[in-house]
Amino acid sequence: MSLQDRTRFEPAEVEPRIIERWLASGLFHPDPSDPSPGWSIAIPPPNVTGALHMGHALNGAIQDVLIRWHRMHGDRTKWILGTDHAGIATQTQVEKLLRSEGTSREELGREAFVQRTWAWRAEYGGTIIGQLERLGASADYESERFTLDEGYVRAVLEVFTRLYDKGLIYRDNYMVNWDPGSRSAISDLEVEEREVDDHLYSIAYPLTDGTGEVVVATVRPETMLADTAVAVHPDDERFTHLIGKRVRLPLVGRELPVIADPYVKPEFGTGCLKITPGHDPNDFEIGRRHGLPEVSVIGEDGRMTEAAGEAYAGLAVLEARERVVADLGDAVRAVEPYRHTVPISHRSGERIEPLISLQWFMRMDELAKPALQAVRDGRVRIHPESQRRRYEAWLEEIRPWCISRQLWWGHQIPVWYRGDEVHVGTAAPEGEGWTQDPDVLDTWFSSALWPFATLGWPDETAELQAFYPTAVLSTARDILFLWVARMVMMGLEFMGDVPFRDVYVHSVIQAPDGRRMSKSLGTGIDPLEEIDRHGADAVRFGLLAMSSTQDVKYSAEKVAQGQALANKLFNASRFVLGKVPEGTVAAARPSAVEDRWILSRLQAIKADTAARIEAFDFSKVAFGLYDFVYRDLCDWYLELIKHRAVDDDLGATLLHVLRETVALAHPVIPFVTEDLWAHVGNGEGDHGLLAGARIPDVDEALRDPAAEAAIDAVIGAVTTVRGWRNDAQVKPGAFLQARINAAGYEQTAGLVARLARLELSANGGDPAATVAVPGGTVEVLTSGDFDPGEAEQRLERQRDGLRAEIARAEGKLGNQGFVAKAPPEVVAAERGKLERLRAELDAL
RNA sequence: GCGCGCGUAGCUCAGGUGGUCAGAGCACCGCCCUUACAAGGCGGUGGCCGCCGGUUCGAGUCCGGCCGCGCGCACCA
């Protein structure tokens, strides 16, 4: 269908064709063997299990704007694409599937389970990539990576081995966050504190010497079975006499020492703290300080172990709690309601069970220092500022990272055991009888290598040379520590350079009512449905327009504005192409003041857009384009030239302005602009595609302040006269005789007349009405075509406004303090303003 | 508990270094199917700039204190 037959832009019809052309062009896939410098972004790899959500869509739009902008400025761009194996999430998903089939991972065995998971990934794992295509993301689909692909695994094993050799990775029995849901240890960053209503129990432990008892307070009575001491504050005079005595642990019978430790808060609870090194992180620390035994009574399945004693073994923790409280009888001295926070697994949603267990850890202090320095000295810039402070604060107090996970899906830890022998290496050791450590690495361990492992490291590839470091990392703030900080550490350690120059932390998109967007709350909005409804351009524009340094609510309005913009630009193009003769060559050849004006405005929007992209101010990028297209281009320029005969100069200029506008808007709304490029692009760009064409630089020679002033006056005058006509109830179509009695319209009187529907006259008679316009007045000469009463009322309102402003200015200048203390130029400006206002009032 | 941010028209938000800063978009109201677009055009209504004090000739704009909302960090049993 020809352009002139399409009265509106139909995204659903156009988008699939355009995606096809882009992908076929190879534009998104720079030659991997070319080592010349490039400009790259590594996508935060979405989970293979995932479907595109609003966060992905926003981040996709942001990254694509950056990538397209740079591609259209001649950079060799690569948007590194791939997915994350997402250990826990994927394993959980596949286990669920197995359960529905009546089997389990245990039944299948490790090898078969992992195979099954690969098969699952092959079937379902690619959906999100296809969804990114629909968004218009110009990523390198031809070299998609996966954190478990062959090359990536090599990188992970290499890093583990080197860090082990450096002494940064070690194995230890230590307290970890045990997630009973995924049956694995998880890191501190995967734990969320949630407030719950609980009970605080006071329990009496009798002194062994029969002189009394010690009452301790706890929210977890069942852990008393693993108590190995009671602690009081060393300076708490109520209890100093108890220090060194012993108590008998009820139900168990074990004797416990009463120790002194400053951790105990005398004012809290009873002032006496039961110490359970096996099941509480603080007690664990205290226990290690005092050399206390570590007793475990809760197992990895979340049930009481044999060590809890016959009466409790096998019970779930909550059952055990009830039983213990019942069995304690009178020893429970008080039960009060108590609200506090408990640790919840971010992965499974279950309550964390702190347990002592043998895990692999990574020392972070040595790697953290350079990562902190890189941000402090600006080699990595984090935007916005508030996020930089968060990053620094976290790195300053970094703790060891538990990197082993008791899962099957992931990078199995490259450590083998045979008796007391240990082998650490990228390959299994020679000889018989070795068994590999069953655990896998935390998913974030592999993600931390993303910016260089995806480019071929540890080999020295041309891609590494060309695209490392990447330019920008755009991401959500919840993975600033989990991922971003660790990439900086690993990049510095293994590449000797930061992994990216800028980190942009984007908004979180909330539901329209301000709640979190989530499936379980039913508050989620599916970006793909929005694309179906409004088009990818609209969704991209809307998300960019919403984005901010703060969290934002999803705004259907802004998506609608994006859709309107695409349609507006489409129709403006139809109009221009309908006027410009076949064969016209686009060029800036202004022949009238409005031509010089639009060319000058075009330079301004190009410069503004560049500055806003540099500053990651995507909202202003989007709205700046919107305003330019609507106001400058359509409302004014096209209206101003509508009745001009299209000579060669005007045709060339029109086409030039349209082409540059279409190109400039492409990074934000790539589909409609690519569609239009087929008609205005004149075959320019790789494969004739706008995605492969250039956005022309700002042409300073076309900046024209005089033309801008002249047309600003036209806009002011036309708007005012239209307002007057509206109030005076002039027939919309009527042309009124009038004369312009104002300076600055020498070249533009005709334009004002046409757009305000005036018939300029040299008639010297008295005006029937006067309208104040910039630089003077317009005097309407014909009476009878309007309501003089309404007209006079409007005039009076204008006079009132002027009088009020004059009064304000006079008041200010009459204020001795102002005249004496304000800077002279401010006072002078105020005087000038007053004179101007008085002149305007006189004219009316 | 500590830290950070926010509270400006009905809604979503702009408003470096204090002096046309009271704005935009959408919504709303009125008028127009003017041959690019009615998913359009033109015009208009609308705001103790959260509250209370302070600094200043002058404060959405700086300072202090409240109130409300959000986020981050945190080992109080």
Side-chain angles (χ1 to χ4, degrees):
Chain A
M1 213 194 313
S2 92
L3 198 61
Q4 297 304 330
D5 295 333
R6 297 158 60 190
T7 58
R8 59 176 64 158
F9 178 65
E10 300 285 1
E13 185 188 302
V14 171
E15 286 171 4
R17 284 204 312 270
I18 288 181
I19 291 170
E20 227 168 272
R21 291 176 61 208
W22 283 337
L23 294 180
S25 74
L27 261 174
F28 305 161
H29 177 61
D31 177 2
S33 65
D34 180 351
S36 65
W39 196 95
S40 63
I41 290 180
I43 197 171
N47 290 355
V48 275
T49 56
L52 196 80
H53 62 234
M54 251 342 142
H56 293 126
L58 170 63
N59 202 198
I62 288 169
Q63 293 169 90
D64 198 46
V65 165
L66 294 168
I67 281 282
R68 285 185 189 268
W69 180 263
H70 280 270
R71 189 183 294 116
M72 294 179 81
H73 281 84
D75 290 325
R76 206 164 80 87
T77 55
K78 180 182 173 79
W79 185 359
I80 302 164
L81 181 68
T83 51
D84 192 297
H85 69 281
I88 293 176
T90 309
Q91 176 155 332
T92 305
Q93 201 101 336
V94 175
E95 283 193 75
K96 204 155 108 197
L97 187 68
L98 292 178
R99 263 201 305 284
S100 75
E101 292 171 358
T103 178
S104 68
R105 87 173 142 116
E106 287 79 5
E107 217 164 287
L108 277 184
R110 182 164 190 153
E111 201 176 322
F113 176 79
V114 170
Q115 260 180 16
R116 183 66 201 268
T117 308
W118 275 104
W120 181 91
R121 184 235 172 202
E123 195 169 348
Y124 303 105
T127 55
I128 196 160
I129 300 296
Q131 294 171 333
L132 283 168
E133 287 178 6
R134 288 213 48 206
L135 187 68
S138 61
D140 188 354
Y141 299 93
E142 287 175 58
S143 50
E144 184 186 328
R145 298 301 303 268
F146 181 50
T147 52
L148 268 179
D149 68 31
E150 206 183 321
Y152 209 104
V153 168
R154 261 178 68 218
V156 170
L157 299 186
E158 184 71 30
V159 164
F160 183 95
T161 308
R162 289 204 206 168
L163 291 174
Y164 178 87
D165 290 343
K166 245 190 135 174
L168 295 185
I169 288 180
Y170 58 95
R171 202 179 189 210
D172 194 11
N173 256 307
Y174 208 80
M175 175 140 292
V176 297
N177 302 300
W178 185 265
D179 175 9
S182 57
R183 293 269 184 105
S184 173
I186 61 175
S187 76
D188 294 342
L189 290 172
E190 293 166 300
V191 175
E192 181 190 345
E193 297 289 330
R194 215 174 283 167
E195 201 161 71
V196 296
D197 286 314
D198 227 323
H199 298 280
L200 187 64
Y201 300 84
S202 298
I203 306 171
Y205 292 2
L207 288 158
T208 51
D209 63 7
T211 58
E213 59 185 27
V214 173
V215 180
V216 299
T218 180
V219 288
R220 302 195 62 191
E222 71 281 8
T223 64
M224 69 161 292
L225 300 170
D227 282 1
T228 55
V230 168
V232 298
H233 191 94
D235 303 333
D236 190 342
E237 287 172 10
R238 293 173 298 170
F239 303 122
T240 40
H241 67 283
L242 296 175
I243 297 166
K245 289 195 176 189
R246 300 178 79 77
V247 296
R248 187 165 305 282
L249 185 61
L251 305 183
V252 179
R254 187 162 58 234
E255 280 191 21
L256 314 179
V258 178
I259 60 170
D261 193 285
Y263 169 77
V264 182
K265 303 267 186 300
E267 67 279 7
F268 188 88
T270 60
C272 300
L273 177 62
K274 65 191 267 306
I275 303 298
T276 318
H279 296 294
D280 182 279
N282 302 306
D283 293 7
F284 178 80
E285 298 287 338
I286 295 170
R288 290 251 160 138
R289 277 206 287 278
H290 294 267
L292 297 174
E294 292 163 359
V295 177
S296 294
V297 296
I298 301 170
E300 295 182 346
D301 55 359
R303 291 181 173 274
M304 306 306 284
T305 62
E306 297 297 324
E310 255 179 60
Y312 309 105
L315 293 181
V317 167
L318 288 180
E319 294 168 348
R321 179 176 305 175
E322 282 179 34
R323 187 74 64 84
V324 165
V325 170
D327 292 350
L328 280 170
D330 290 348
V332 177
R333 291 297 152 81
V335 182
E336 321 158 39
Y338 184 60
R339 170 173 284 226
H340 67 146
T341 58
V342 300
I344 302 289
S345 164
H346 220 95
R347 302 295 153 211
S348 69
E350 292 202 21
R351 181 161 172 177
I352 292 297
E353 197 59 66
L355 294 180
I356 295 172
S357 114
L358 185 58
Q359 302 284 347
W360 286 95
F361 293 89
M362 187 166 152
R363 257 182 50 212
M364 304 300 286
D365 46 354
E366 202 172 301
L367 295 174
K369 272 183 202 133
L372 190 53
Q373 193 51 39
V375 166
R376 290 205 167 130
D377 65 23
R379 277 176 296 149
V380 174
R381 299 176 291 260
I382 301 179
H383 320 263
E385 184 71 7
S386 55
Q387 299 302 322
R388 199 208 74 204
R389 289 197 295 271
R390 266 186 78 211
Y391 171 99
E392 290 185 5
W394 185 71
L395 280 178
E396 280 164 6
E397 298 196 28
I398 196 147
R399 284 178 291 183
W401 171 19
C402 175
I403 54 173
S404 48
R405 296 289 180 275
Q406 287 63 55
L407 306 172
W408 287 351
W409 177 242
H411 302 93
Q412 194 167 347
I413 291 180
V415 177
W416 287 261
Y417 310 99
R418 182 169 69 184
D420 289 340
E421 293 175 90
V422 176
H423 171 87
V424 178
T426 54
E430 300 287 320
E432 297 292 305
W434 291 94
T435 51
Q436 188 173 2
D437 194 302
D439 290 353
V440 302
L441 289 165
D442 181 3
T443 299
W444 297 106
F445 187 94
S446 52
S447 321
L449 320 182
W450 186 249
F452 56 89
T454 48
L455 295 173
W457 191 91
D459 296 337
E460 285 178 28
T461 62
E463 288 216 291
L464 262 185
Q465 195 181 327
F467 296 114
Y468 191 96
T470 64
V472 178
L473 182 88
S474 177
T475 187
R477 66 157 179 264
D478 55 342
I479 53 178
L480 188 65
F481 310 145
L482 223 40
W483 188 49
V484 179
R486 288 166 179 168
M487 279 192 287
V488 178
M489 296 184 211
M490 295 298 203
L492 288 166
E493 175 71 14
F494 291 99
M495 292 296 299
D497 195 0
V498 297
F500 26 71
R501 306 283 180 217
D502 290 281
V503 176
Y504 175 67
V505 180
H506 68 242
S507 300
V508 173
I509 309 261
Q510 300 165 334
D513 61 7
R515 287 188 295 170
R516 199 167 265 287
M517 264 202 196
S518 95
K519 264 193 201 127
S520 51
L521 286 174
T523 51
I525 296 176
D526 183 353
L528 292 164
E529 284 177 20
E530 292 290 277
I531 289 174
D532 286 340
R533 246 193 294 278
H534 306 283
D537 289 333
V539 171
R540 293 167 60 112
F541 176 94
L543 289 170
L544 293 167
M546 283 171 229
S547 75
S548 153
T549 56
Q550 297 271 120
D551 290 354
V552 296
K553 294 178 187 136
Y554 186 78
S555 161
E557 258 171 28
K558 293 192 171 67
V559 173
Q561 274 182 272
Q563 189 174 1
L565 174 64
N567 193 57
K568 191 76 176 171
L569 191 55
F570 180 82
N571 275 295
S573 303
R574 285 176 61 218
F575 175 72
V576 169
L577 292 169
K579 284 190 85 89
V580 174
E582 200 75 24
T584 299
V585 176
R589 281 159 55 189
S591 56
V593 62
E594 64 268 26
D595 301 336
R596 295 200 301 277
W597 171 77
I598 192 66
L599 288 167
S600 186
R601 297 297 305 149
L602 180 61
Q603 307 318 307
I605 186 62
K606 284 196 290 189
D608 288 348
T609 302
R612 289 160 180 168
I613 284 178
E614 284 290 309
F616 302 105
D617 193 346
F618 299 103
S619 173
K620 282 198 180 138
V621 169
F623 282 121
L625 288 168
Y626 181 93
D627 287 342
F628 177 76
V629 169
Y630 267 81
R631 266 203 215 336
D632 293 343
L633 183 61
C634 296
D635 290 351
W636 293 105
Y637 187 60
L638 296 185
E639 293 301 327
L640 284 166
I641 59 93
K642 217 165 211 175
H643 300 276
R644 265 167 73 184
V646 180
D647 57 16
D648 287 354
D649 287 345
L650 179 56
T653 302
L654 269 172
L655 200 55
H656 171 86
V657 170
L658 178 63
R659 287 186 56 181
E660 292 213 348
T661 302
V662 165
L664 185 69
H666 183 257
V668 173
I669 44 175
F671 288 100
V672 67
T673 48
E674 190 68 81
D675 188 30
L676 292 169
W677 194 250
H679 302 94
V680 302
N682 199 25
E684 274 180 36
D686 281 352
H687 299 79
L689 288 168
L690 177 54
R694 298 288 288 265
I695 295 173
D697 291 333
V698 174
D699 183 348
E700 293 297 338
L702 292 174
R703 299 256 202 187
D704 194 333
E708 295 219 18
I711 299 298
D712 280 349
V714 169
I715 291 170
V718 169
T719 303
T720 319
V721 173
R722 280 171 175 169
W724 173 85
R725 291 176 63 113
N726 213 49
D727 286 350
Q729 299 177 350
V730 178
K731 285 204 178 65
F735 279 82
L736 301 186
Q737 273 210 359
R739 114 189 126 216
I740 295 178
N741 182 20
Y745 298 89
E746 294 72 20
Q747 300 175 80
T748 59
L751 298 175
V752 173
R754 190 164 59 246
L755 293 188
R757 287 183 183 264
L758 302 174
E759 199 177 307
L760 293 184
S761 160
N763 181 338
D766 286 342
T770 304
V771 183
V773 298
T777 58
V778 164
E779 292 170 338
V780 180
L781 300 168
T782 36
S783 52
D785 285 325
F786 57 89
D787 180 331
E790 292 287 346
E792 178 55 31
Q793 270 182 30
R794 181 186 169 90
L795 200 58
E796 198 47 42
R797 279 206 306 278
Q798 278 186 319
R799 290 197 195 101
D800 285 346
L802 282 171
R803 286 190 198 105
E805 280 198 72
I806 287 168
R808 189 157 25 133
E810 282 172 342
K812 224 169 170 179
L813 289 165
N815 181 334
Q816 285 303 94
F818 175 73
V819 180
K821 297 190 183 179
E825 60 272 21
V826 173
V827 178
E830 198 65 34
R831 289 222 167 86
K833 177 181 157 192
L834 182 58
E835 278 171 40
R836 216 172 41 250
L837 291 169
R838 281 181 176 146
E840 272 183 51
L841 184 59
D842 287 347
L844 294 181

